[in-house]
Amino acid sequence: MEFLELKNRVETVRQNLASASDGKYPAPKLIAVTKTHPVETILPLSKLDIVDIGENRTQEIVEKRNFLRENFQIHLIGRLQSNKVKYIIDDVCLIHSLDRFSLAEEINRQAQKHNRVMPVLVQVSPAGEEQKGGMPPEEVLPFLREASKLPGLHIRGLMAVMPNIQEETYLSGLFADMRTLFERLRDEAVQGVDMEELSMGMSGDYLLAARHGATMVRVGSALFGPRA
Ligand SMILES: *Cc1c(COP(=O)(O)O)cnc(C)c1O
């Protein structure tokens, strides 16, 4: 893609984000989802002041990291197998997809080995679609109480992947539910947990997500076009 085309697309998304929330919430941070795209496609983003990029596969992070680490912070947004944590623990700034206690334990173990505290988001399944990852909303509070005791990770918020349904009323309801859950858990003030980030919204629905108080949106195809 031509640089100018990419620049236009980034600007469009930024403008949409700035206008979406009507001043009720601050504009969310844009995470550019670069999965499947080669390093040459990604590097120009740094000239557009994009620092945060999202990848969903550990193997791909390992292949690209040496080219990207100087300019970017990598967010892990996809489902994470416990036995892969050790490969990426030094390379990512935030794991969005913590969805089970065994994974929390492995992140804790690897982070301690590498002398760091790993920031994580807890993935919630707002529509009960657990095949997409994420725990049911009612399980999050008990999970926070246990996982917050692990010194190698720092829980900083929630993440959700919405169902592939374009029906706006339905999606709005799910985004609103996520925002309510986020605020309720923030009010619980679980020790060691900082409920600051709500990662939700992708190319098809980032405007709705921004309107409902997302603090981060994860946008891929609206920037780079459809994936192969
Ligand atoms: C691929 C992906 C995105 C971005 O999807 P687009 O529709 O291309 O914007 C966001 N979140 C997750 C978890 C993804 O895997």
Side-chain angles (χ1 to χ4, degrees):
M1 188 188 301
E2 295 288 330
F3 180 69
L4 273 181
E5 170 76 14
L6 182 65
K7 182 167 185 269
N8 284 337
R9 290 178 178 217
V10 168
E11 278 168 8
T12 302
V13 172
R14 282 187 172 141
Q15 280 162 9
N16 287 340
L17 288 175
S19 60
S21 58
D22 290 335
K24 189 173 175 201
Y25 302 106
K29 177 184 268 191
L30 173 60
I31 316 268
V33 176
T34 52
K35 68 187 186 195
T36 75
H37 295 290
V39 169
E40 311 82 75
T41 305
I42 303 170
L43 285 175
L45 289 173
S46 66
K47 294 199 210 92
L48 301 169
D49 293 323
I50 289 193
V51 175
D52 294 278
I53 60 174
E55 289 281 341
N56 70 337
R57 290 176 51 237
T58 53
Q59 178 62 33
E60 205 173 328
I61 292 173
V62 168
E63 286 164 12
K64 294 172 172 177
R65 63 185 168 196
N66 290 338
F67 304 96
L68 299 177
R69 78 168 121 223
E70 217 175 293
N71 295 300
F72 300 102
Q73 293 197 310
I74 303 174
H75 295 241
L76 182 69
I77 60 172
R79 180 164 270 189
L80 180 55
Q81 286 174 268
S82 294
N83 62 357
K84 302 286 170 63
V85 173
K86 58 179 175 286
Y87 300 123
I88 51 88
I89 193 80
D90 281 327
D91 302 310
V92 300
C93 68
L94 180 64
I95 294 174
H96 290 229
S97 45
L98 173 57
D99 62 356
R100 57 199 189 277
F101 196 72
S102 58
L103 178 59
E105 288 178 308
E106 180 59 12
I107 293 171
N108 178 54
R109 186 162 35 241
Q110 294 299 335
Q112 290 191 294
K113 231 190 215 177
H114 290 246
N115 280 313
R116 71 175 298 198
V117 176
M118 188 68 226
V120 298
L121 306 181
V122 176
Q123 186 173 350
V124 182
S125 162
E129 283 191 314
E130 278 157 59
Q131 73 279 12
K132 285 201 171 172
M135 62 183 73
E138 66 276 10
E139 288 178 17
V140 181
L141 180 57
F143 178 84
L144 294 180
R145 294 205 167 109
E146 287 310 307
S148 60
K149 294 175 190 158
L150 301 170
L153 52 96
H154 177 201
I155 299 174
R156 297 205 45 229
L158 304 180
M159 179 273 218
V161 177
M162 294 298 166
N164 287 329
I165 295 172
Q166 297 302 315
E167 216 279 291
E168 191 165 318
T169 318
Y170 175 67
L171 276 183
S172 287
L174 295 181
F175 283 126
D177 289 348
M178 280 300 300
R179 181 70 203 193
T180 304
L181 178 67
F182 171 74
E183 291 180 8
R184 192 165 62 71
L185 294 170
R186 195 176 57 192
D187 294 345
E188 289 284 342
V190 176
Q191 197 182 359
V193 171
D194 288 303
M195 270 293 144
E196 301 164 334
E197 302 292 354
L198 180 55
S199 166
M200 59 183 189
M202 313 185 357
S203 291
D205 56 15
Y206 70 85
L207 275 175
L208 272 187
R211 243 175 250 152
H212 288 95
T215 68
M216 295 176 167
V217 293
R218 309 176 306 267
V219 177
S221 46
L223 301 178
F224 302 110
R227 282 177 291 276

